[in-house]
Amino acid sequence: MSGLDDSLEGLWRALGPLVHDADVLGEHDLPGVPGAKLFRAEQGLDGPLHDATLQDYLRALRVVAGQVRLVGEEREWPIERVFVAMEVQRQERTTTTRMREHEDPKRNRRADEVAREPDRPDQEEIEAEFEAREATALTAEAPAHLETMQLDAETVAEAGARVLVWGAAGTGKSTLLKWVACQSARSERTPIWMDQLEVSSSELPDKLAQLALRSVLLPETASVARRQLRNAIEAGKVQLLLDGLDEAAIRVQTSLPACMAALGAGTRVVIASRPNVQDEALRAAGFVPVTLTGLQGNETEVFLQRYFGKASWIAGLLRELRTLSVGEVWSRTPVLLSLVAALYQRNRRLPHATLALYDDVVESLIRRAATRWGLDPNSRQVREARAKLEVLARAMLLPREGQPEAAVRRREVDDLLVSSGLFTGATWLRFAHLSLGEFLAACAPMDLDEELERFRSTSRLTLDVLPMALARRRREALEQALRAAEDGDTWDHRLLGLVLRAAALGGEGEVGIDRAYAQRVLKVLVARLMLPSGRFGKTEQQLAAYGERGFRALGTWLTDDDREMLEPLLEGRGALGTEALLLAWASRLEGLRRPPSEREASRVGAALVRSGATVADVIALAAGNGLQVRVAVVSALGSDPESRPLLREALRDADEYVRAAAVSALGSDPESRPLLREALRDAAEAVREAVIAALQRRIATEASALSELGCVQPAICLVGRHPVPPDLVNPSTTLARQERLGRFLQSPRPIRLEKDMSFAEELLGAVCIRLTQTTGPRFGIFGEVEKPLERLVDSSEPIVIRIAMSAADLALDRAVFACHNLVEAWRIARHLRTERNLSVWLVCADLDFDDIVPPALDKPGTVYMRPPFFGFRLPAYDGGTPLDAEIELLISCEAERLWANSPDQLRAELIGRLDAVLRDPDTDIWSLLPLLGRLGQHLPADLRAAVVERLPDGVREAVLHLERAREALGVSAAGPSTGAPGSPSGV
């Protein structure tokens, strides 16, 4: 096989299971190959691929887009196995670029810089990153969202005809688009996936087809596939997936809205970008913006388990991450989480300081790249390459002149470092995560006096280069920064904040500080928060947040004697008192107690968790109140496997929102799954929706469409038809199955299912159809069952029909549609009496059938109506007297079948009664003719002979009986013609 390149490295493992007796060849087990090495050719042999078709393109797409690799790892994984649905936020994203240009021109790139490199893809990218940090700077946790949704392929594809997915670096945008592409390959729409944008308005359909082939490594000269792709694009039957809008040249970003507007109305488009692109034109073109927020709660553990299985070290990694100042950021950012996981898998420990973690990660990536290149990781060449990278990062992010830049041209970076995993991109490179670049920039030589002076006037306070540089230079640098803060800080306390950030990054005992230094910092901090103005605005809140994080490290040097410095703050009320309490918890100078304010519930909850509080502690502390804090604590504990027993207890909390938070936190815990299934029947809708989201299927499983079951076919055939009036003389021999079913459905009456099991099967099929069919002018049947059922009536388990709906989608349909159909189905089902325990359920949730456990209905005839469960148990058959059975035999259209199923004793009693009636000269023989037509052959011979003598010779009397009945019932004589008396046509 030839033509493999980096993007197809995982193909070896993917092909192995598909080829009988195939061996997967690795780097060291290639018999007969000199040196036991496999080298890739620089150019593939693509001759035969010129004849590729659309099916070849789709297969190549599933291979190229269907493999993902963790940063820092060489192995590739099938995306179907490792994709983790993440949370997105629907919101109005405000583009502030123009506002910045108007308000603060100094912050923007100078005109001459833009003119020099008009195609730079990172214009305004640093500003957007700073704004995102500032938006969440007051919390170390993910911000609370007012409107969120669970993200999966169907959600993204159907969130709108045109969707714009925003996401910071490393949040999983590219993986998401690969997942959507692979899922769309099985749909009616052809996926057009491109990982590099070069779109132009000239001959757009053909250009898109060309780029699609290039993206999946097929030759652009594959004329058949190219023509088929172009035709699909022109017909609007494609799912266009464009990755890396932020990495495209400015001319591409500018022309893209017009290009998308030129596509057919039926074309669906998803574009992914970092939040640095001006989106007014895209919004005007109808794009719906959603923001990818990264991994939340238990999604972190799910992410790791998808790649590493249920490895025992995962719990330890998550526990140690919680102790780091930026642990929350690393936990919810896939690219950083994958880096730290690869490191922890090898070492089984993390450094105690955030800064040391960055150092270990960067060093590990560079050393592994050197090893792959056949270089000694300790060699001078490798050391010089890292030193050059540090200088380059400094020039990009903390330049002496000009503005910071997020991207660098490929030619400016050593090939060794490009292959290390530190960068992403092609022509223009970016750090895989901006914080990796900040750390490398902090390692470069710099004049601290000069940088501290510049920091006084900068508007980019959230850039972490200088805090990292202070922490790396330890006590002397920290002392220099603290003196500057004491002697003449700015109005917004930025120098004191800088000291606190550096302490948090340096960690406990890692930066050379002591108790005297910690006391000085605490004294200055308290004085700033207790200024005579009494102001506690955004700036003070930010400073308090920095203080809480910094004193997780500085507080280890303090003792109980130092608490008196905090007492003035602890006596405060509202937000000030709450921040003082968080600072005291971080410094280990105050025990657990209820905060004076819940305005920052997520911060309080996370701080409680960091201080060692459990769910039980917080619930006892809040004494039934403090709802928001308890919810925040439960959510914060979601990533801690050791808190699972406490979270299970929270499933029984009195408040529904605490229970819902516990459900979300336990979503990835297999041992909690039975409890979550029970919670699906919780009385609170918020809890049930949380369960649906937590248990939602990530990969489609096999199921059988309800409409394909044999028992429902008669009911399906009835839709839109009117049954033909049956023959009144002997309907049992002429009435077709669906005609009989139609008569029953039009006028239901109590019936015992066990009398006719075949008809019972058709009745249950009709009930299932009524439970799931549409109510509009066009008929349709939704729903699926776990596996084909041979006979519904013999089912020992509840009959479950699933309509896959997410917790966020189709809220109206999940209530109104299902309730209406339940009422319609029960109108029939209430007449079906049975001696069995038969229940029928409509379940409106996208769950595996194993997770669907309907409520137990102990009483026959019970109806249940609480989303997502809509169902009932059939009424019980309560028996009857022999006389009831005889009457039914005398009047039923199914008399012959009832006769065959009747016991001998009942038959004998009925024949005795008929013998007396038929021999009675006062009996009107006309009243018994229908019965004689149905059961005459079962009468004794002598009785049949006696009855024959009394039969009329013609039909005139029958006509007279019919006319007399019409007259008595007040029915007009006009109607279907009966013909002339005695004529054949009147029969």
Side-chain angles (χ1 to χ4, degrees):
M1 180 178 297
S2 65
L4 294 181
D5 67 0
D6 287 340
S7 60
L8 287 179
E9 182 174 329
L11 185 60
W12 292 109
R13 293 187 179 277
L15 287 178
L18 302 179
V19 182
H20 183 63
D21 293 333
D23 291 327
V24 179
L25 302 181
E27 194 176 66
H28 302 291
D29 55 2
L30 301 178
V33 178
K37 297 284 186 179
L38 178 66
F39 294 92
R40 297 184 182 85
E42 291 296 327
Q43 184 173 359
L45 303 177
D46 57 3
L49 296 180
H50 287 296
D51 298 326
T53 65
L54 180 61
Q55 292 304 315
D56 296 318
Y57 163 78
L58 293 176
R59 280 192 290 269
L61 173 71
R62 286 192 288 267
V63 173
V64 176
Q67 305 290 324
V68 293
R69 179 192 301 164
L70 286 177
V71 177
E73 290 290 309
E74 297 181 27
R75 178 181 177 183
E76 290 187 327
W77 302 82
I79 197 169
E80 294 278 359
R81 170 180 169 180
V82 299
F83 179 76
V84 177
M86 290 180 287
E87 192 178 74
V88 296
Q89 178 182 3
R90 286 182 179 270
Q91 64 175 3
E92 289 298 315
R93 174 183 171 271
T94 303
T95 301
T96 56
T97 301
R98 294 182 179 177
M99 182 185 302
R100 288 199 303 268
E101 291 173 352
H102 175 73
E103 294 180 351
D104 189 0
K106 295 180 181 179
R107 294 176 61 184
N108 293 281
R109 182 182 302 277
R110 296 192 305 269
D112 59 336
E113 292 179 282
V114 176
R116 281 200 306 270
E117 296 182 296
D119 275 358
R120 285 196 67 91
D122 62 333
Q123 296 179 27
E124 306 298 343
E125 182 169 333
I126 287 287
E127 302 294 345
E129 175 68 26
F130 294 156
E131 288 177 359
R133 291 185 180 185
E134 290 169 4
T136 58
L138 292 180
T139 62
E141 298 73 44
H145 302 321
L146 295 178
E147 184 182 354
T148 59
M149 59 189 293
Q150 194 69 17
L151 182 64
D152 53 29
E154 293 78 11
T155 300
V156 172
E158 298 177 8
R162 309 204 168 180
V163 181
L164 188 58
V165 180
W166 298 114
T171 51
K173 302 181 298 297
S174 298
T175 303
L176 168 64
L177 260 61
K178 285 184 174 183
W179 166 263
V180 178
C182 292
Q183 295 300 301
S184 300
R186 305 183 181 94
S187 69
E188 296 179 355
R189 292 184 175 274
T190 302
I192 305 293
W193 169 72
M194 289 182 287
D195 56 353
Q196 296 182 25
L197 288 183
E198 301 178 17
V199 180
S200 63
S201 57
S202 176
E203 299 182 358
L204 183 59
D206 189 66
K207 183 64 174 178
L208 289 174
Q210 173 190 353
L211 293 174
L213 291 171
R214 183 189 303 174
S215 295
V216 299
L217 308 179
L218 288 178
E220 299 170 20
T221 54
S223 57
V224 176
R226 187 164 173 172
R227 182 181 68 254
Q228 291 173 321
L229 288 170
R230 183 176 64 247
N231 292 341
I233 295 169
E234 292 173 344
K237 296 182 178 180
V238 296
Q239 176 72 65
L240 191 59
L241 303 159
L242 309 179
D243 193 12
L245 175 61
D246 54 295
E247 299 179 8
I250 294 299
R251 56 181 175 77
V252 175
Q253 297 181 15
T254 305
S255 63
L256 187 63
C259 293
M260 297 300 99
L263 294 174
T267 302
R268 303 184 73 89
V269 186
V270 179
I271 299 178
S273 174
R274 296 186 188 185
N276 60 286
V277 177
Q278 296 191 46
D279 64 345
E280 293 94 335
L282 287 171
R283 286 173 178 268
F287 278 83
V288 177
V290 297
T291 301
L292 190 62
T293 59
L295 301 166
Q296 304 293 334
N298 59 5
E299 293 169 358
T300 299
E301 184 180 8
V302 174
F303 177 89
L304 294 173
Q305 289 178 346
R306 294 288 171 85
Y307 283 97
F308 301 103
K310 295 182 180 180
S312 59
W313 53 264
I314 291 178
L317 167 62
L318 297 177
R319 182 173 58 253
E320 292 189 37
L321 270 179
R322 295 159 68 88
T323 66
L324 298 177
S325 62
V326 293
E328 295 88 350
V329 176
W330 283 66
S331 295
R332 68 173 184 260
T333 307
V335 65
L336 293 178
L337 184 60
S338 63
L339 287 171
V340 74
L343 183 67
Y344 195 89
Q345 184 184 28
R346 292 191 294 271
N347 301 337
R348 291 296 194 272
R349 65 175 183 82
L350 292 182
H352 295 296
T354 299
L355 207 63
L357 174 61
Y358 277 106
D359 197 16
D360 286 357
V361 166
V362 169
E363 185 66 17
S364 174
L365 290 174
I366 294 177
R367 293 177 70 88
R368 294 183 67 183
T371 301
R372 288 196 300 269
W373 280 59
L375 301 174
D376 180 1
N378 299 314
S379 66
R380 179 180 177 181
Q381 179 181 352
V382 175
R383 292 197 305 271
E384 289 179 349
R386 171 163 177 167
K388 290 179 181 179
L389 179 59
E390 292 170 354
V391 173
L392 175 63
R394 160 72 193 275
M396 292 171 60
L397 300 176
L398 199 66
R400 292 180 174 85
E401 295 181 358
Q403 309 302 315
E405 296 173 347
V408 62
R409 290 190 181 276
R410 168 67 174 77
R411 62 174 179 264
E412 297 182 41
V413 183
D414 190 284
D415 289 340
L416 168 67
L417 300 174
V418 172
S419 67
S420 66
L422 284 168
F423 292 95
T424 62
T427 304
W428 289 91
L429 301 181
R430 291 171 171 79
F431 287 104
H433 194 267
L434 184 61
S435 61
L436 297 174
E438 290 173 305
F439 170 76
L440 286 165
C443 297
M446 65 179 65
D447 186 326
L448 285 183
D449 287 328
E450 178 183 328
E451 294 303 331
L452 286 173
E453 189 60 34
R454 293 181 61 195
F455 189 74
R456 290 176 179 274
S457 58
T458 184
S459 58
R460 299 176 181 85
L461 298 180
T462 57
L463 190 67
D464 277 337
V465 176
L466 192 53
M468 287 182 172
L470 292 176
R472 278 186 55 83
R473 289 154 178 78
R474 299 172 63 83
R475 175 61 183 268
E476 183 179 349
L478 289 170
E479 181 69 37
Q480 184 178 351
L482 180 56
R483 284 198 305 268
E486 292 172 328
D487 296 342
D489 206 344
T490 60
W491 67 271
D492 55 1
H493 322 294
R494 63 179 60 187
L495 292 176
L496 179 57
L498 182 65
V499 170
L500 294 167
R501 291 161 63 190
L505 290 167
E508 302 175 8
E510 299 290 333
V511 291
I513 57 178
D514 53 21
R515 184 186 177 195
Y517 186 88
Q519 289 175 324
R520 285 172 58 196
V521 176
L522 181 60
K523 181 179 179 180
V524 176
L525 178 59
V526 171
R528 298 287 177 86
L529 297 178
M530 293 290 292
L531 287 174
S533 65
R535 180 179 181 275
F536 194 76
K538 180 179 178 180
T539 300
E540 287 70 31
Q541 292 178 38
Q542 178 66 82
L543 181 62
Y546 286 148
E548 191 251 336
R549 297 171 202 171
F551 271 89
R552 294 184 215 168
L554 294 170
T556 59
W557 295 98
L558 300 177
T559 67
D560 292 341
D561 296 336
D562 298 312
R563 186 184 183 280
E564 63 182 21
M565 284 191 288
L566 268 178
E567 286 182 353
L569 281 182
L570 292 172
E571 294 174 359
R573 297 180 179 274
L576 176 60
T578 299
E579 291 295 344
L581 187 57
L582 267 58
L583 181 60
W585 287 342
S587 305
R588 303 158 183 84
L589 298 178
E590 182 75 7
L592 297 181
R593 62 179 174 87
R594 185 180 301 179
S597 170
E598 289 191 21
R599 290 182 58 188
E600 298 293 341
S602 61
R603 279 182 35 74
V604 175
L608 280 167
V609 172
R610 287 191 292 266
S611 65
T614 66
V615 176
D617 292 335
V618 177
I619 290 176
L621 179 70
N625 299 314
L627 164 64
Q628 294 180 3
V629 172
R630 287 191 287 128
V631 170
V633 170
V634 169
S635 300
L637 286 172
S639 60
D640 181 14
E642 296 181 353
S643 297
R644 298 291 159 73
L646 297 168
L647 292 172
R648 295 182 195 121
E649 291 295 325
L651 290 173
R652 294 190 287 271
D653 191 86
D655 188 272
E656 62 183 90
Y657 295 105
V658 175
R659 298 199 303 273
V663 165
S664 300
L666 291 168
S668 65
D669 180 32
E671 296 181 11
S672 300
R673 214 164 182 89
L675 298 177
L676 298 189
R677 292 169 184 157
E678 292 180 13
L680 197 57
R681 302 188 289 273
D682 194 282
E685 182 177 2
V687 178
R688 298 196 303 272
E689 292 201 354
V691 176
I692 294 174
L695 298 182
Q696 180 175 329
R697 293 184 302 159
R698 304 308 184 202
I699 299 177
T701 53
E702 292 187 4
S704 300
L706 174 67
S707 59
E708 297 177 358
L709 297 185
C711 61
V712 305
Q713 299 312 310
I716 293 177
C717 293
L718 278 176
V719 177
R721 297 187 181 184
H722 301 283
V724 179
D727 188 315
L728 296 179
V729 176
N730 197 0
S732 62
T733 60
T734 59
L735 192 62
R737 290 170 57 195
Q738 71 181 52
E739 293 173 345
R740 177 185 174 199
L741 180 62
R743 287 181 53 203
F744 184 92
L745 298 180
Q746 287 184 350
S747 182
R749 59 183 176 82
I751 183 173
R752 181 187 176 197
L753 293 184
E754 281 77 10
K755 285 187 175 181
D756 186 347
M757 300 297 281
S758 178
F759 189 47
E761 189 74 5
E762 294 175 5
L763 288 174
L764 286 177
V767 167
C768 293
I769 292 298
R770 286 290 176 92
L771 198 57
T772 59
Q773 74 181 62
T774 56
T775 57
R778 296 186 61 183
F779 173 73
I781 301 174
F782 295 99
E784 52 194 1
V785 294
E786 183 176 11
K787 54 187 177 182
L789 301 174
E790 295 183 2
R791 285 176 61 85
L792 296 175
V793 74
D794 292 333
S795 177
S796 58
E797 300 292 334
I799 301 169
V800 175
I801 305 168
R802 178 184 67 193
I803 296 182
M805 295 181 181
S806 72
D809 291 341
L810 302 176
L812 180 63
D813 283 351
R814 193 171 63 248
V816 177
F817 164 81
C819 288
H820 174 273
N821 280 26
L822 179 65
V823 171
E824 287 294 305
W826 179 245
R827 188 180 68 83
I828 304 169
R830 67 189 182 90
H831 296 288
L832 310 184
R833 312 298 169 84
T834 178
E835 300 168 1
R836 309 177 183 210
N837 183 354
L838 283 175
S839 60
V840 183
W841 293 93
L842 173 64
V843 181
C844 299
D846 190 10
L847 305 176
D848 286 318
F849 279 99
D850 289 342
D851 292 324
I852 298 176
V853 183
L857 302 181
D858 297 326
K859 182 180 179 181
T862 302
V863 179
Y864 188 97
M865 189 185 307
R866 179 181 287 169
F869 292 111
F870 301 86
F872 44 75
R873 177 178 171 180
L874 296 185
Y877 174 68
D878 54 6
T881 64
L883 181 60
D884 295 331
E886 291 180 19
I887 293 176
E888 189 170 6
L889 274 169
L890 291 173
I891 64 175
S892 175
C893 294
E894 298 295 315
E896 187 168 1
R897 177 184 52 78
L898 295 176
W899 175 273
N901 294 332
S902 298
D904 293 340
Q905 181 180 356
L906 180 60
R907 295 180 189 177
E909 292 176 356
L910 181 61
I911 288 177
R913 293 177 184 276
L914 287 175
D915 188 277
V917 170
L918 291 172
R919 295 182 189 276
D920 186 343
D922 293 330
T923 298
D924 183 0
I925 196 66
W926 284 99
S927 64
L928 296 176
L929 284 181
L931 173 64
L932 294 174
R934 297 164 189 155
L935 297 180
Q937 69 272 26
H938 298 294
L939 300 179
D942 59 333
L943 182 57
R944 290 204 304 271
V947 173
V948 169
E949 295 178 357
R950 300 187 60 186
L951 290 177
D953 295 329
V955 296
R956 180 172 179 75
E957 289 187 60
V959 175
L960 291 176
H961 276 289
L962 178 60
E963 292 177 350
R964 193 177 300 130
R966 289 179 180 275
E967 183 178 354
L969 295 173
V971 179
S972 171
S977 174
T978 59
S983 67
S985 62
V987 178

